[in-house]
Each structure stands twice: as structure tokens, then as C-alpha cells.
Amino acid sequence: MLTLSTRKSRRQPAPKSPQKSPGRLTLSPLQLTPKKRLSRSIPSSPLGLSPVRLSPGKKAVTCKGRKLGVAAVNTSRHKAVCEVLHTSVPEHLSCRQRQTNDIKEFISECLSQSCAGSMYISGAPGTGKTACLQKVLADPEIEDIQQVWVNCMSLKSTGAIYSHLVSKISGKRGNTKERDAVKTLEKKLTSSGEMILVVLDEIDHLEGKNQNILYTIFEWPMLKNSRLVLIGIANALDLTDRLLPRLTAHVQMKPTLLHFPSYSKQDIAQIIYSRLDMVEGSEEVIAPAAVHLLAGKVAAVAGDARKALAVCRRAVEVVERKVRRQLLINLDENVDVNSPRKTTSGVVGPAVILQVFNEVYENVVVQQCQSGVADSFPIHQKLALCSLLLLMKHGWSKEAPMGKLHEIYSRVCRGRHVVPVTQSEFCSVMEMVQARGIIAIKNNRESRLSKLSLMLDEQELVCAMQDKELLADILRDATFARK
């Protein structure tokens, strides 16, 4: 039996509470019970004690920390791939060089000539609008001017944009009254000084009655001695023509238009490969066949690069968990890590990509309708959905006001000899549709101003409603959608 002895200093008494050295936990052997001392495995003792040896018939107990460390080392490449597949803006943007040059040329021309101007950037979600603009604004030649970036979706109301811009541009708290805030902004923008660049992301959320706010903002660059460079971003291609017809009537007031088309299959594959090239040996993590399958699937649905990166990253995470789980099982069973019968392939193949893609894109409502589980929609819900799709197909943006939708719905009902429900009852009907996961409602204090957006495309909506004839009949009659 081993005995441990401690020597007490003759000059200084032993401290009652010994201090711990930073970063290391030191325990005296006398503080351990005999049971704990025998259960510990000491690889190298500072006192020269040899480690406890186990009998040949017993398996060595593997430390949990060591097992996790081995698993982390074997999946480190998967983690590196997940990091580069993040949707943040990379150093180099693929397939958007022309759009980037157009934005940079527009801003540089305004700055060099000290003249105000406006630009409207359109494109579907995930087509690189915000990423390209952020890349251009990070250029050292443009960083020197005052930049103001506002996401209009985050504003409490459309009229709050004025006071928000006052606080951003002047650094002071904006006036509470809209009229005073507009006067302050116009005085600031027409006074002497450097150029001011204002970016309004999701500018379509400023849409309101008579479009007074949008007209006011786009007319600021045309003021005498204005030093404003305005850039608006939204999804709708025809926002200026549809909502701001007065701007197109005057050549000087018409903003420069720049459209971002959806990414093609080749574009999405190139974007993914440009990220994977940052990690050495990434071809051992994602198979080329999986990349091309994912690119084709996403391009056929929407051409959204962010969704493609998200699906790819999710697939890598799924495979990484399988690899870690198998490695831990092998270590518990004391099996050789390199054994071919006890290893899991760490490569993301087409099957995993297809599984994750279906999880991300397939809608529960559509799956239920295809399996015959979903109940048939009540007539008023069907007519409301047809009216919403009718608005989307005839000039309205991705979101429709509740009041306007009820107006179109009432016309559709009268055209089919159905008594429409009241405004309050209509809100309840749309809430029931929202519970099915078909639409999204952005509530407002006034129910008529609440915004509705459709979460399904036309084919999915037809499948969910199970009434193709009704939908086609309503969509053919464009008179219902007249404003």
C-alpha cells in the first residue's frame, strides 16, 4: 500500500486555505478518499508514482474528454466547411460583378460631380442586392462620406422614417411631428457640406395612402443644392412604375433602375464552390454530385443563394453528427477508428442533400393535401385566398393591406352570388387561414392596415385548396382587381 507524507515548513506554518495557481486545479493526495484515489488514472505523477495498472482481462476506461477530443479532430473539416457556408458577405462576390460595377459607378459619379441622384435596386430575396451594396460601401473611396442605412421593415410606422433620418443624419433626436422633421431634413440636405448617402432597405414598406412618403423621399435629390444620394432596395421590379408614376413622367426625377435576376443553376454551383475552395480537402466533405443537385433544385424553385447555402450547411451538420456519433460508439467499444466496418462516410451525398432540401422547402399543408388528410377549405377562405392571389398577379407587391383585400374579396363574392362577411369577420377568416401556414399577417393597430403575404406559390395553393376550377375562374376575370 502506498503512503504519502507531507512535510511542514519549520519557518512558516502551513496556510489554512492554500491558494490555487491560475489555470490549474491542485489537490493534495490527503484530500482524496482511498476510493477516489484508486479510481483515478495518473499518467505521470510529479511525485514519481507509477500509474495504476489494470489486469489484462479488463478494458481500459477511456476518458470522456479524450473521446470528445478525438471526435472533434475527426470532424474538424466539417466544422470548417460549415463556417465558410455561412450567409455572411464574403470577400469576393460571385456572379454579380456587373451589378457591383453599376452601383459603384453610380455612386462615384454622384460624388465626383457633387450632384444628387437616386437609384432603385430590385430583385427577389437571396439574389445579392444587399450583399453587393454592402461590398461597394466598404470601398475606401466611398467610406469617407456620411452613410445612413435604414431597414424600413424595423420602423414602427411609415411616418417614423422622417424622425429616424433626422437622428441618423444630424445625430440629434428627431422631431415628433412629421412636418417639422421633413423641414429639418430638407434644410440639412440642401445646406453646404459633404454628400450624404442614404440607403433605404425594404423601401416598399413605406407604401401608404397616395404614396406621399415615397414621393417626398424620391423628390429630395431634385431639390436645389441637394447633396443627397438615395438608394432604395425592394423586391418588386415595377415599384417605381406602379406606385410612383409621377417620377417616370419627369426624366430628371426618374431614379436609375438596377435589377438583380434570380441565380441560375450554374451561378448557385459557382457560389457554393467559391466558398468550399476556402477549405482544403472540402471535396472529401461534399460530393460534386450533391452540389449540382442542390444548385438545380434551388434554381428551379427561386434562385435564392441564401437558401442554397443554408441547405448545404444543414446537410454538412447532419453528416457531421453521424460521424461523431459513430466515432464515440467505436471508442466506447474499443474498436479501431480506421476499421472499415465500423466507420460512417463523412461525405455529403445527393441523398442527404435531397433529404434536407425537402425538409426546408416542402410545405406541411401541401403534404397533407397530397395525402388527402387536409379538410376542404370553407368557401369564404377559398374566396379570400383567390382574392389575395389575384392582387399579387395584378400589380400589388408581396404584401397586401387587409382593407384592400377585403374590398377585392367582396367584389369576388358578389360576382359569384355569395354574401361577403364584414371587415371584422374577414379578419377572423384570415387568421384561420394563417393557422394553416398558408399566409403570414403583419398586424397593425388598425386592422385595415395589417399586411398579408402569401407563403405558397400558385401551384401549391391550388393543391392546398383542391379547387383548381374556382381559382382559374377568378384569376381570369381581372375586373375584380381594378383599383
Side-chain angles (χ1 to χ4, degrees):
M1 181 176 181
L2 299 176
T3 58
L4 301 175
S5 61
T6 58
R7 295 182 178 179
K8 296 183 180 179
S9 176
R10 297 180 180 179
R11 297 181 180 180
Q12 296 180 356
K16 296 181 180 180
S17 59
Q19 303 249 344
K20 297 179 181 179
S21 60
R24 179 182 298 178
L25 179 63
T26 56
L27 293 175
S28 172
L30 293 178
Q31 292 175 320
L32 299 175
T33 61
K35 183 178 180 180
K36 290 184 178 180
R37 193 183 304 130
L38 291 176
S39 63
R40 291 180 179 267
S41 176
I42 308 175
S44 58
S45 173
L47 300 179
L49 299 177
S50 59
V52 179
R53 295 182 178 179
L54 300 175
S55 58
K58 295 183 180 180
K59 293 184 179 180
V61 180
T62 309
C63 178
K64 182 178 181 180
R66 176 179 172 274
K67 291 191 297 182
L68 295 177
V70 172
V73 170
N74 283 272
T75 58
S76 59
R77 189 171 294 167
H78 292 77
K79 291 186 177 297
V81 170
C82 287
E83 291 178 2
V84 299
L85 289 175
H86 199 271
T87 55
S88 58
V89 180
E91 296 182 1
H92 174 70
L93 287 174
S94 302
C95 310
R96 285 292 181 255
Q97 191 61 39
R98 183 184 66 82
Q99 288 80 2
T100 303
N101 293 336
D102 290 345
I103 297 174
K104 188 174 182 180
E105 182 180 351
F106 166 76
I107 298 177
S108 300
E109 183 178 353
C110 293
L111 297 181
S112 60
Q113 300 180 5
S114 298
C115 63
S118 61
M119 171 180 274
Y120 174 67
I121 301 176
S122 63
T127 53
K129 305 184 299 296
T130 304
C132 282
L133 188 53
Q134 290 177 348
K135 197 70 177 177
V136 173
L137 298 185
D139 192 286
E141 299 178 0
I142 304 177
E143 279 184 337
D144 296 336
I145 69 171
Q146 183 179 3
Q147 300 179 11
V148 177
W149 190 298
V150 180
N151 191 320
C152 300
M153 188 186 297
S154 62
L155 299 175
K156 294 182 179 179
S157 63
T158 55
I161 182 63
Y162 298 128
S163 59
H164 190 77
L165 287 176
V166 169
S167 61
K168 287 285 187 179
I169 294 176
S170 62
K172 300 178 182 179
R173 185 177 179 180
N175 298 320
T176 54
K177 295 183 179 180
E178 294 183 13
R179 184 178 301 178
D180 296 337
V182 171
K183 291 181 179 180
T184 303
L185 284 171
E186 292 180 352
K187 183 178 180 180
K188 180 71 175 178
L189 295 175
T190 55
S191 61
S192 60
E194 63 179 5
M195 302 294 291
I196 301 175
L197 176 63
V198 175
V199 179
L200 299 180
D201 200 359
E202 304 287 351
I203 195 174
D204 52 336
H205 286 271
L206 298 180
E207 178 184 350
K209 187 178 181 180
N210 301 325
Q211 315 306 336
N212 292 330
I213 295 178
L214 288 175
Y215 273 120
T216 301
I217 293 176
F218 274 99
E219 288 173 355
W220 283 341
M222 299 301 109
L223 297 175
K224 186 179 180 180
N225 300 325
S226 176
R227 51 193 179 95
L228 171 65
V229 179
L230 175 66
I231 298 180
I233 307 175
N235 298 332
L237 175 63
D238 59 343
L239 183 139
T240 54
D241 296 334
R242 177 169 46 84
L243 300 181
L244 306 172
R246 292 205 312 252
L247 296 181
T248 58
H250 303 278
V251 179
Q252 295 180 348
M253 298 177 62
K254 186 176 180 180
T256 303
L257 303 180
L258 179 61
H259 179 63
F260 280 67
S262 299
Y263 286 111
S264 64
K265 177 182 177 180
Q266 293 76 14
D267 294 338
I268 295 177
Q270 183 177 344
I271 291 172
I272 296 176
Y273 279 128
S274 64
R275 301 292 187 100
L276 297 179
D277 290 341
M278 302 178 186
V279 180
E280 185 179 356
S282 59
E283 63 278 359
E284 299 179 6
V285 177
I286 303 179
V291 175
H292 289 286
L293 174 64
L294 174 61
K297 286 282 187 181
V298 175
V301 174
D304 191 335
R306 292 180 300 186
K307 283 289 183 64
L309 293 173
V311 171
C312 197
R313 185 175 65 253
R314 169 68 175 161
V316 174
E317 292 173 350
V318 169
V319 173
E320 179 195 2
R321 283 200 297 270
K322 291 182 180 179
V323 173
R324 290 171 62 91
R325 189 181 302 113
Q326 187 60 53
L327 285 171
L328 293 175
I329 292 175
N330 293 345
L331 290 171
D332 285 337
E333 296 178 355
N334 202 17
V335 178
D336 185 8
V337 177
N338 298 320
S339 175
R341 294 177 298 177
K342 290 292 184 177
T343 58
T344 301
S345 174
V347 181
V348 177
V352 181
I353 287 290
L354 191 60
Q355 173 191 350
V356 177
F357 178 85
N358 292 335
E359 292 176 357
V360 172
Y361 277 95
E362 283 191 2
N363 191 279
V364 177
V365 177
V366 177
Q367 291 177 354
Q368 291 178 346
C369 292
Q370 291 175 347
S371 61
V373 177
D375 299 330
S376 60
F377 280 57
I379 184 62
H380 289 285
Q381 293 187 18
K382 286 185 178 182
L383 295 176
L385 286 174
C386 292
S387 304
L388 180 57
L389 187 58
L390 187 65
L391 280 178
M392 301 299 178
K393 292 178 69 66
H394 290 85
W396 285 84
S397 60
K398 60 180 181 179
E399 293 183 342
M402 183 79 75
K404 182 64 179 179
L405 179 59
H406 180 260
E407 178 184 342
I408 303 300
Y409 154 80
S410 300
R411 296 178 188 173
V412 171
C413 288
R414 287 191 291 268
R416 304 190 67 82
H417 306 288
V418 177
V419 179
V421 298
T422 62
Q423 176 70 48
S424 59
E425 293 174 334
F426 184 74
C427 295
S428 301
V429 170
M430 300 314 294
E431 289 177 357
M432 295 175 65
V433 177
Q434 183 186 25
R436 293 176 177 259
I438 299 177
I439 64 171
I441 301 178
K442 188 183 297 182
N443 293 319
N444 192 289
R445 293 180 180 178
E446 299 183 22
S447 59
R448 288 183 56 85
L449 300 180
S450 298
K451 298 294 184 69
L452 297 91
S453 58
L454 191 61
M455 306 302 292
L456 307 179
D457 58 22
E458 184 174 348
Q459 294 180 353
E460 292 176 330
L461 184 58
V462 170
C463 178
M465 290 176 53
Q466 298 180 351
D467 200 338
K468 185 176 182 179
E469 291 76 13
L470 174 65
L471 183 61
D473 185 35
I474 294 176
L475 294 181
R476 276 195 300 266
D477 194 348
T479 58
F480 295 132
R482 290 177 181 174
K483 300 179 182 179

